[in-house]
Amino acid sequence: MSALILALDATSRDEAMAIAESTAPYLDAIKIGYPLVLSAGLSVAGEIAALGVPVIADFKVADIPNTNTLICDQVFKAGCSAIICHAFPGRDSLLACVESAHVHGGECFVVCEMSHPGGAEWFSGGVAEAFCRMAVAAGADGIIAPATRPARVAALRAIIGGKKIYSPGVGAQGAAAEDVKELVDGVIVGRAIYTAADPAAAAKEYAQRCR
């Protein structure tokens, strides 16, 4: 059993809000990123949150500590409940994201391995495992790990223990919710829902498959 998170990468505010409103009853959270925010502005986060669905800012924050803090502070002030960041800038940069999240009563998730084919290149050779250990040491709330490689999710789970795992790659990237739902806390689905002829029906179906 796993939560369902919609990765809402629409580039029109009106389209995004219509999809968010119709799918909200079936979702546990909505993840937004640069495609939507660059089009509609960061204020769209608060508008989506007003529908009663937690909003995760997938900005994959990766800068020096001070800049990370400034970014994260703005994200939470805009109404987001969680931020996604990278670990590779180092422990101090990661800790800045975690601290900002916790000051604002939110959560911080760390990208430990990505779901696209190229994600198996850079995050291999023990890198993902090192990122998991950094996430645990920094007090992050969880990690991002790929539904497209369930065995890797299981390996990373062994390192982070009871911390949350949110897993992208279900749907358009080829993974099925059933592949990882017993391993993770949240399944992330994007195009398979928001480009569907009936996004609400698609969200309902994925919610049933996750749970």
Side-chain angles (χ1 to χ4, degrees):
M1 180 174 176
S2 178
L4 175 61
I5 301 165
L6 170 61
L8 186 54
D9 289 327
T11 55
S12 158
R13 178 200 166 277
D14 290 344
E15 179 188 14
M17 291 305 300
I19 293 170
E21 187 170 2
S22 69
T23 59
Y26 310 107
L27 304 176
D28 296 287
I30 291 178
K31 181 173 74 71
I32 63 172
Y34 290 118
L36 178 56
V37 170
L38 290 174
S39 171
L42 186 55
S43 62
V44 74
E47 296 177 55
I48 294 173
L51 298 174
V53 183
V55 177
I56 301 169
D58 185 9
F59 292 170
K60 295 183 176 69
V61 183
D63 215 307
I64 65 169
N66 183 65
T67 302
N68 281 2
T69 297
L70 295 174
I71 293 170
C72 292
D73 285 350
Q74 291 301 311
V75 161
F76 289 107
K77 289 176 183 176
C80 294
S81 298
I83 184 79
I84 295 175
C85 69
H86 271 300
F88 64 78
R91 295 177 185 274
D92 52 351
S93 291
L94 173 54
L95 186 59
C97 294
V98 173
E99 290 179 344
S100 173
H102 292 173
V103 163
H104 294 281
E107 295 182 304
C108 179
F109 291 85
V110 182
V111 177
C112 287
E113 188 168 330
M114 297 178 73
S115 56
H116 64 301
E121 298 172 10
W122 170 244
F123 294 97
S124 62
V127 171
E129 287 82 354
F131 288 167
C132 282
R133 289 189 286 271
M134 287 176 63
V136 171
D141 299 278
I143 67 166
I144 306 297
T148 49
R149 292 184 286 279
R152 294 294 300 143
V153 177
L156 300 183
R157 167 63 78 189
I159 297 173
I160 68 163
K163 289 187 179 292
K164 296 178 184 178
I165 298 178
Y166 288 167
S167 196
V170 170
Q173 291 189 58
E178 292 80 2
D179 295 339
V180 292
K181 69 177 184 179
E182 301 300 330
L183 294 170
V184 304
D185 301 276
V187 169
I188 300 173
V189 184
R191 286 166 283 176
I193 292 177
Y194 74 78
T195 65
D198 186 342
K204 181 178 181 180
E205 178 187 348
Y206 271 103
Q208 292 170 342
R209 291 170 63 183
C210 287
R211 297 160 190 161

